[in-house]
Amino acid sequence: MSLNERLLTAGRCAAQVLSDSNINGRMADGYTRVDPIKLAEAADVALMFQPMENLLGAYLKEDRPGILINMDRPAGLVHMTCAHELGHHFLGHETTTDEEIESGRSAKPVEQEADTFAYALLASRLVLVNVMKRKRWGAVQLRNPEIIYQLSLRLGISYTSAIWSLARNNVLSWTDATRLANNKKAPKIYKQALLGANGSVMDNWKPDVWLLDEYDRDLILEPHSGDKFVVDLPSHAAAGYLWSVDAASSEGFIVEPVSYDASVIKSPAPTRIGEVLPQRCIISATAAEISDVLPAAISLVQSQPWIGPVELDDRYEASTKYELLRVGASKAEKSMLVNQVKGT
Amino acid sequence: MNASGTVDRQRQELAERLREAREYVGLSQDETATALGISRTAVTLIESAGRKVEAVELGKLAKLYGQDVDWLLTGKSKEKDSRQAFLARAIHGLSSSDMEQLARFSDYLRNSAKSKRGE
């Protein structure tokens, strides 16, 4: 078989795994990304997360097949590594260690097959089109790096992988994709811009910043500990209304007081009573770790602090389901260990 | 060193290996307690060498953590071949800590496969 035929086969194999996983049901529920960790668990592959020095991951074909992942990396890379190792598994490859993935045409054929599998699994046309439809993003918007960064969060892959997936699906030309991917500082700059002066308190840029709008209302977003959400909401601030978290229905989240940086944000023109101006809300989770079992709502209400309850249409809601990446075996693997000892 | 000193040291080392093995798979003391049907305090005591570990418990702990009983007892594995096999494959450029992680996961897979088969 030629390399191209092998890559086509790898892509078809991923498409099969994807359709067997009830991806359509997941998307109908509001999820936007494919979860490679769940797919590995469903395939009965032992999954282990450990901090490692140079390795991104490894596939071990032992008495039981196993995937070892460097969890000391950004979530997007953890997912892509998991999908890549899962590719080695489904394609019947031997034990492999990966210090890098996605190294293009210079990589060994089995690595290219695993890369193709990973892209076809996590960033297929199916899930890409779903996010584009839900978020009303067309090919024109997706040339904008700030939107590509937001896309990458909803696909659960890195910013760079999102760029390549757009090229693989013919949304971006390879020339544009290469130009965008060469700007290595890109995601950090967009995160900073979204947070404004509030960003200065972040001690590192590993957490992500999600820009929410009305099209995120029906979605279930999958953030990580430390991530922040930014949403611009129409505000009657001049009349004394302020957006805040509805504590009754969204425990664990707060709206951060926005500290305006005069050098960045132009001071708004004097406001008239009754004028509607957008208020930028920056939301973060207060609990160090929010439950990863049930989706948690972020619910915002607009009110005059001294008056209290408001009409229900002055509300903004989004759903989140946190992914907790911890050292050790995956959740399913741990329950398997506990259950085989329990009651013996 | 007298005989009782040696026994104390061995018990201390066993306690440390048990804690380390639990942390490797990411189980909490509570989860270990549930699996063994003992109290969490008992697990804490076991991991600080404050309580003896019964042979039956040691077998269960080995199974729970995907470890070899011999390794838990002595810190040495009977089956050194997995480590050797990785080295023999001459995966160049891997750091020793990454090599250690691979060997460890390979041991884990082999031990947990045995338990899964009911050996």
Side-chain angles (χ1 to χ4, degrees):
Chain A
M1 234 197 298
S2 76
L3 179 59
N4 277 338
E5 284 167 339
R6 286 171 65 177
L7 296 182
L8 276 173
T9 307
R12 274 197 292 267
C13 177
Q16 189 60 50
V17 171
L18 193 59
S19 70
D20 290 348
S21 76
N22 185 27
I23 181 63
N24 288 312
R26 210 175 126 78
M27 291 192 304
D29 287 344
Y31 290 98
T32 57
R33 71 173 178 95
V34 174
D35 188 345
I37 292 167
K38 284 215 171 70
L39 296 183
E41 290 178 339
D44 214 11
V45 176
L47 206 50
M48 180 66 78
F49 299 91
Q50 295 291 336
M52 288 189 280
E53 217 174 317
N54 303 316
L55 273 182
L56 284 180
Y59 171 64
L60 274 69
K61 197 173 183 174
E62 302 269 342
D63 301 1
R64 302 173 65 198
I67 291 175
L68 174 64
I69 297 174
N70 188 345
M71 49 81 63
D72 224 2
R73 293 287 181 274
L77 190 51
V78 165
H79 296 152
M80 197 50 111
T81 304
C82 183
H84 177 102
E85 306 307 342
L86 208 48
H88 286 310
H89 173 70
F90 277 109
L91 299 167
H93 296 165
E94 293 302 312
T95 290
T96 319
T97 59
D98 296 305
E99 282 186 272
E100 53 181 22
I101 56 171
E102 303 181 62
S103 27
R105 289 270 167 175
S106 59
K108 281 193 286 185
V110 284
E111 296 306 326
Q112 292 189 45
E113 286 178 87
D115 284 340
T116 302
F117 180 97
Y119 270 99
L121 192 69
L122 300 188
S124 63
R125 191 149 197 95
L126 183 70
V127 291
L128 182 60
V129 167
N130 176 60
V131 177
M132 287 170 71
K133 274 190 184 156
R134 294 278 202 140
K135 291 289 292 172
R136 313 290 198 274
W137 287 331
V140 178
Q141 283 95 326
L142 287 170
R143 297 167 68 99
N144 177 345
E146 296 176 42
I147 292 182
I148 299 175
Y149 169 59
Q150 293 300 318
L151 170 75
S152 74
L153 300 182
R154 283 150 183 93
L155 293 178
I157 59 181
S158 74
Y159 172 71
T160 321
S161 300
I163 294 173
W164 298 128
S165 71
L166 289 169
R168 281 172 184 255
N169 285 291
N170 303 317
V171 180
L172 275 181
S173 71
W174 286 97
T175 319
D176 283 346
T178 309
R179 181 179 47 79
L180 286 161
N182 279 339
N183 184 3
K184 299 290 179 203
K185 285 192 209 145
K188 185 183 162 185
I189 292 167
Y190 308 134
K191 291 184 204 183
Q192 258 165 341
L194 285 170
L195 294 179
N198 286 44
S200 59
V201 299
M202 284 175 79
D203 47 5
N204 74 67
W205 285 97
K206 199 178 163 191
D208 282 304
V209 184
W210 301 67
L211 179 62
L212 308 183
D213 62 26
E214 57 179 306
Y215 303 124
D216 290 290
R217 281 175 187 254
D218 301 325
L219 302 179
I220 302 173
L221 308 170
E222 295 176 86
H224 299 88
S225 178
D227 285 5
K228 287 174 190 281
F229 307 90
V230 170
V231 57
D232 289 322
L233 296 168
S235 157
H236 300 279
Y241 283 92
L242 280 176
W243 284 96
S244 61
V245 160
D246 180 359
S249 54
S250 50
E251 199 180 347
F253 292 101
I254 53 153
V255 173
E256 293 180 10
V258 174
S259 40
Y260 284 104
D261 179 347
S263 65
V264 179
I265 296 169
K266 279 180 247 156
S267 65
T271 53
R272 291 184 306 275
I273 298 287
E275 192 173 2
V276 180
L277 288 170
Q279 180 195 339
R280 171 153 289 196
C281 297
I282 299 175
I283 303 143
S284 36
T286 48
E289 278 176 359
I290 288 195
S291 160
D292 62 339
V293 180
L294 294 168
I298 298 177
S299 182
L300 303 180
V301 286
Q302 188 171 218
S303 62
Q304 288 174 306
W306 58 91
I307 291 179
V310 280
E311 318 90 84
L312 281 170
D313 55 341
D314 267 0
R315 239 171 210 285
Y316 178 84
E317 275 192 333
S319 290
T320 60
K321 188 165 180 299
Y322 274 72
E323 181 185 47
L324 307 178
L325 293 169
R326 291 205 186 98
V327 172
S330 72
K331 265 178 154 180
E333 181 74 12
K334 282 193 281 192
S335 347
M336 185 278 288
L337 290 170
V338 169
N339 287 332
Q340 72 184 8
V341 170
K342 214 167 154 183
T344 55
Chain B
M1 190 184 288
N2 62 31
S4 80
T6 311
V7 170
D8 282 352
R9 191 169 48 89
Q10 281 173 347
R11 198 199 268 189
Q12 189 64 47
E13 284 172 359
L14 171 64
E16 277 164 25
R17 276 191 295 271
L18 284 171
R19 170 184 290 275
E20 214 265 336
R22 176 177 58 75
E23 287 171 349
Y24 176 73
V25 290
L27 288 171
S28 65
Q29 287 188 334
D30 276 320
E31 287 166 316
T32 294
T34 308
L36 265 70
I38 58 177
S39 70
R40 196 187 63 84
T41 317
V43 177
T44 311
L45 282 171
I46 286 173
E47 291 184 359
S48 56
R51 174 186 177 284
K52 269 190 182 170
V53 188
E54 308 292 333
V56 178
E57 287 172 340
L58 192 66
K60 285 184 181 181
L61 285 165
K63 208 169 168 182
L64 181 64
Y65 300 153
Q67 294 288 348
D68 194 28
V69 176
D70 291 321
W71 184 83
L72 287 177
L73 277 173
T74 63
K76 288 176 198 128
S77 180
K78 258 190 225 157
E79 305 181 63
K80 292 292 285 180
D81 56 332
S82 70
R83 224 149 287 218
Q84 306 301 335
F86 269 113
L87 291 168
R89 264 176 235 153
I91 302 160
H92 57 93
L94 276 193
S95 70
S96 57
S97 66
D98 286 354
M99 193 71 89
E100 182 64 34
Q101 286 284 10
L102 285 169
R104 181 142 202 200
F105 186 47
S106 150
D107 287 343
Y108 170 85
L109 289 173
R110 197 155 8 79
N111 288 315
S112 61
K114 275 183 206 159
S115 316
K116 265 196 124 180
R117 286 195 303 264
E119 280 174 33

